Amino acid sequence: LVAGSICEVQADLSLLFVSLGDFSGQLLAYLSLGPIFIIVGFVTLIIFKRELHTISFLGGLAFNEGVNWLIKNVIREPRPCEEAHSTVTTKYGMPSSHSQFMWFFSVYSFLFLYLRMHQTNNARFLDLLWRHVLSICLVTVALLVSYSRVYLLYHTWSQVLYGGVAGSIMAIAWFAFTQEILTPLFPRIAAWPISEFFLIRDTSLIPNILWFEYTVTRAEAR
């Protein structure tokens, strides 16, 4: 009863702060929508780029969500103050799906930046600089989204921590699977008639896809 009363007070205070103009709470609430924006961005990118590695990345995110659902239903640890949020789709909170999603996305993107994309010879310093800045931004967003789940009373610290660990491990495993198993198959998959019909392409043999698209676009424009 005491724990339930504390949860109710914490929930009321959290909602009160947000309603009274708690800028931090509002910002964290918006940041917690990050996974939705990322999924929308991936779908848009796939529609316009139709690149196999991007499709594999999205497949990894979907698989990561499936693993999260499985772990939640095996452990069945309830959320803290679950009465405070009647709109959540699942009553289990271990591990945090938001935390696991964001850390999968951030760690996989980090590995992609430093292991998949290679520096160009004429802009090595700037190339490395933007990678470092982007990596810091990815980690910062993942930390903020993870913190938002605790601040908004959706998860405990342990649920967020284990979610981050699970997402990071899944990202490393999926990146290794993509690089070692799927990437050698991409040229063959891109040559399938159905892939040619939907204009699906493979850029895995291009060291720096951004530099390649930039130079090709300039040459075509000329």
Side-chain angles (χ1 to χ4, degrees), residues 76-92:
R76 297 189 176 186
E77 180 178 303
R79 296 174 181 271
C81 312
E82 55 184 338
E83 298 84 3
H85 303 288
S86 58
T87 58
V88 293
T89 57
T90 174
K91 61 182 179 180
Y92 304 128

Side-chain angles (χ1 to χ4, degrees), residues 1-184:
L1 292 176
V2 174
S5 299
I6 294 175
C7 283
E8 292 178 1
V9 172
Q10 289 177 331
D12 292 340
L13 287 176
S14 178
L15 295 175
L16 178 62
F17 289 154
V18 173
S19 63
L20 290 178
D22 178 15
F23 178 76
S24 299
Q26 292 177 354
L27 177 61
L28 291 173
Y30 285 120
L31 282 174
S32 66
L33 299 176
I36 298 177
F37 296 134
I38 291 174
I39 292 297
V40 172
F42 262 104
V43 172
T44 304
L45 191 61
I46 289 174
I47 291 175
F48 286 97
K49 292 293 184 180
R50 309 188 187 193
E51 204 276 323
L52 284 171
H53 199 126
T54 306
I55 297 173
S56 175
F57 196 165
L58 180 59
L61 285 169
F63 181 66
N64 179 64
E65 286 297 291
V67 170
N68 178 268
W69 178 87
L70 180 62
I71 296 175
K72 277 185 175 180
N73 284 272
V74 170
I75 299 178
R76 297 189 176 186
E77 180 178 303
R79 296 174 181 271
C81 312
E82 55 184 338
E83 298 84 3
H85 303 288
S86 58
T87 58
V88 293
T89 57
T90 174
K91 61 182 179 180
Y92 304 128
M94 173 63 83
S96 166
S97 58
H98 278 73
S99 179
Q100 185 169 331
F101 182 99
M102 291 304 303
W103 282 103
F104 181 100
F105 176 77
S106 299
V107 172
Y108 192 101
S109 299
F110 178 87
L111 295 173
F112 183 86
L113 286 172
Y114 287 97
L115 299 181
R116 167 64 177 85
M117 297 182 66
H118 305 290
Q119 299 83 251
T120 55
N121 294 329
N122 60 341
R124 181 178 176 85
F125 173 76
L126 293 178
D127 204 25
L128 287 174
L129 179 61
W130 78 263
R131 290 167 199 249
H132 297 333
V133 172
L134 183 56
S135 298
I136 293 173
C137 291
L138 288 169
V139 172
T140 301
V141 171
L143 287 171
L144 288 175
V145 171
S146 300
Y147 174 70
S148 73
R149 308 313 290 168
V150 178
Y151 185 91
L152 299 174
L153 306 178
Y154 282 100
H155 292 283
T156 64
W157 281 111
S158 61
Q159 292 172 353
V160 165
L161 176 62
Y162 284 115
V165 171
S168 300
I169 294 175
M170 287 288 298
I172 295 172
W174 189 260
F175 183 84
F177 173 73
T178 301
Q179 288 294 102
E180 301 299 327
I181 305 298
L182 296 182
T183 299

Side-chain angles (χ1 to χ4, degrees), residues 52 55 181-196 200-202:
L52 284 171
I55 297 173
I181 305 298
L182 296 182
T183 299
L185 300 176
F186 282 166
R188 189 181 306 174
I189 296 174
W192 290 350
I194 189 172
S195 299
E196 294 178 348
I200 295 175
R201 56 180 176 155
D202 168 42

